[in-house]
Amino acid sequence: MIDIAILLKAYRMMSQVKVMAETYEANRTVCKYVHSTSRGHEAIQLATAFQLQSHDFVSPYYRDESIIMGIGFSPYEQMLQLLAKGNDIFTGGREYYSHPNYKGDEKPTMIHQSSATGMQAIPTTGVAQGVQYLENHLSGRLKKGVNGELPIVVCSLGDASITEGEVSEAFQFAVLKQLPIIYLVQDNNWGISVTSDEARSMNAFEFAAGFKGMNRIQVDGSDFEASFSVMKDVCDFVRRERKPYLVHAQVPLLGHHTSGVRREFYRSDEDWANHSDHDPNPKLRKKLIERNVSEDEIIQIEKEAADLVATDFAKAVASPEPDPLTIEDHVFAPTPVVEEKGERSPIGKEKVVMVDAALFAVREIMEKHPEAVLYGQDVGKRLGGVFREAATLGEKFGEHRVFNTAIQEAYVVGSTVGMSAVGLKPIVEVQFADYIYPGFNQLVTEVSKSCYLSCGKFPVSMILRVPIGAYGGGGPYHSGSVETTVLSIKGIKVAYPSNAADMKGLMKAAFYDPNPVVMLEHKGLYWSKVPGTEDAKTPEPSKDYILPFGKANIVVNASADSIDNGESCVVITYGMGVYWAKAAAKKFNLQVEVVDLRTLFPLDEELIYERVKVHGKCLVLTEEQQNNSFAEALAGRISKNCFQFLDAPVEVLGALNTPAVPMNIGLEKVMLPDADKVATLLKELITN
């Protein structure tokens, strides 16, 4: 029998949640931001929260205010987020209600929560992946309970989210690696206006049977005692056995889907009555009476709840709005890498190809930092990457640090959120730029926004390596350029090295940067196999060489005479464009300067504008299809900032605007820029 004190605590919080929902409904003009409440879900949520310890991890979803309350946050603290106030302890007024995050010693850790349904499954499974790694290999860095208890991870989901493919990716990884995670699935039979019968052929409990190694159980989530007993058993099991579990809790939905999508829009009176019959509040109230708690004591609890909520609501309403000057705070965490250090070209060093420079950089990182791990498709010791970019790393560091994943780009990308949150430093990759799109949802929704929406508590320190670009008949799904698409995401940094030294220096900078970095690595430059790319080989820089982001490099200089005579031009480019531009420049008499951007965000606008103003003529060169590209956007910014110094419109040259790179080598050549095409355009610019 559950201690009466626990039942009273639960009823006190249930009463608060009930009054909170009523208060929000009665003050709709004040509670103007879209929100959901946990009415109907309180029992299973509180039962879960009461099992959690301060060294645990939990990811609530947007209806989980009772979990948040149950682990120790007050109505006032939650209301600040409801009203998007400046003192909102979670996100500073940037996020919806019940989208918490917390990093501290007194309560379970909560990574940033997004609104994208089911998307929390992958980052939270990444937390469990990180916990397992620390437990097995860096136990001294693992936060444990006062009596040495190991942490568990709880991921809360609505049943409708189980149909998301990314949830399946999370389940697959959890059972494959046997991670210490509990998936709490709250099933209220609705997915906004879609019923369970319309949307899915099975519930989460039935679905989980298909994942070998997933323990599972069902419970009446409206019954607090039953929920508490089940969650205690499940949490104790996972804390002890370190295996995944799915809890399917049937619950009523006693509020609106959200304040903006109201129940009367789509629910019948009969449906509403059926759900109301399972209200956990009167159920628990009845059990208290059966346990000899007096009516007067219960009424007093209810009165205290009403008084507390009224006081907290008034206080939250009166609290200040966010300071507009903070709007750009926490887009990125500060990086310690601000200047170039180490030897770039040590005397006597042999030249290395770009792919080896990256390999050596990662090897040196992993030798120095046991928290660094590398994973992705085929990067393990059997192959070492389809481009051999991870060759020997698996053998040197072991399968626990360098390992293969399934074909799960979303998991590979999104798991870095959780891995980073527990103090690991993941380096991951997708095999080709064309394959970044399955992981794009996680990159946009979770990775890029985490620092900003957690007010700096959870920047995602990760490197995403992306082999990119076309050469030699790679075809339409292995040759794409994606920089414009990637650069449309705010909150990530993007590097695009064109030679071995830059590759190594930028890889080191990316690792020490606490923010997410996408490394675009042109596979045509990896081994300098493409004619004219020999300069991509450089002497290997020293171990301590590091190159900060946002520092472009002049790789070809024009003569002072040609500049003074107004007969020069500057080419702004990156990647393979550097070599097209360098080859084209040889056809002119020291009239062409070539600037290699090296990083696309942050961008060295200071050097770009300075050089354009010196020359008065500019070509922006890219391998991407030209229309609506990053290159065209950059040309527009150059035109605006250098307008009075320009002697001609800023030119842009990119690939033809076909939907893909053709397989046929001849067609590929027609599509892409090359040195001859660059030279033709430069001639027009310089002579006109």
Side-chain angles (χ1 to χ4, degrees), residues 215-258:
N215 300 280
R216 60 195 179 112
I217 194 171
Q218 291 183 295
V219 66
D220 178 358
S222 68
D223 183 327
F224 177 78
E225 284 189 304
S227 297
F228 186 91
S229 296
V230 164
M231 292 310 301
K232 184 179 188 309
D233 289 346
V234 169
C235 289
D236 288 349
F237 174 88
V238 176
R239 201 178 297 281
R240 180 181 66 252
E241 300 295 331
R242 320 306 287 159
K243 296 178 179 179
Y245 225 115
L246 183 140
V247 178
H248 176 248
Q250 194 71 47
V251 292
L253 178 60
L254 299 181
H256 309 287
H257 169 69
T258 67

Side-chain angles (χ1 to χ4, degrees), residues 30-76:
V30 176
C31 305
K32 58 189 177 183
Y33 301 108
V34 173
H35 58 272
S36 298
T37 75
S38 60
R39 283 292 287 122
H41 294 229
E42 305 99 314
I44 186 63
Q45 290 184 21
L46 292 172
T48 301
F50 290 176
Q51 314 306 322
L52 298 178
Q53 301 176 28
S54 60
H55 63 292
D56 292 331
F57 298 82
V58 59
S59 289
Y61 86 116
Y62 59 79
R63 201 179 294 283
D64 278 351
E65 64 186 352
S66 290
I67 285 184
I68 301 168
M69 181 180 289
I71 63 175
F73 291 96
S74 67
Y76 170 68

Side-chain angles (χ1 to χ4, degrees), residues 625-659:
Q625 292 91 328
Q626 183 172 326
N627 279 10
N628 303 315
S629 63
F630 158 71
E632 286 196 334
L634 177 56
R637 281 145 69 187
I638 292 171
S639 296
K640 179 179 179 181
N641 286 277
C642 305
F643 181 75
Q644 61 183 332
F645 297 91
L646 292 173
D647 298 323
V650 178
E651 290 284 356
V652 180
L653 178 61
L656 299 180
N657 296 298
T658 58

Side-chain angles (χ1 to χ4, degrees), residues 581-596:
K582 289 173 74 172
K586 292 177 181 178
K587 300 181 180 183
F588 298 86
N589 184 24
L590 299 178
Q591 294 173 285
V592 177
E593 179 177 300
V594 180
V595 174
D596 181 356

Side-chain angles (χ1 to χ4, degrees), residues 559-590:
S559 69
D561 286 344
S562 63
I563 293 173
D564 291 342
N565 294 332
E567 297 174 344
S568 67
C569 176
V570 61
V571 180
I572 311 295
T573 189
Y574 55 94
M576 187 62 78
V578 171
Y579 298 94
W580 294 327
K582 289 173 74 172
K586 292 177 181 178
K587 300 181 180 183
F588 298 86
N589 184 24
L590 299 178

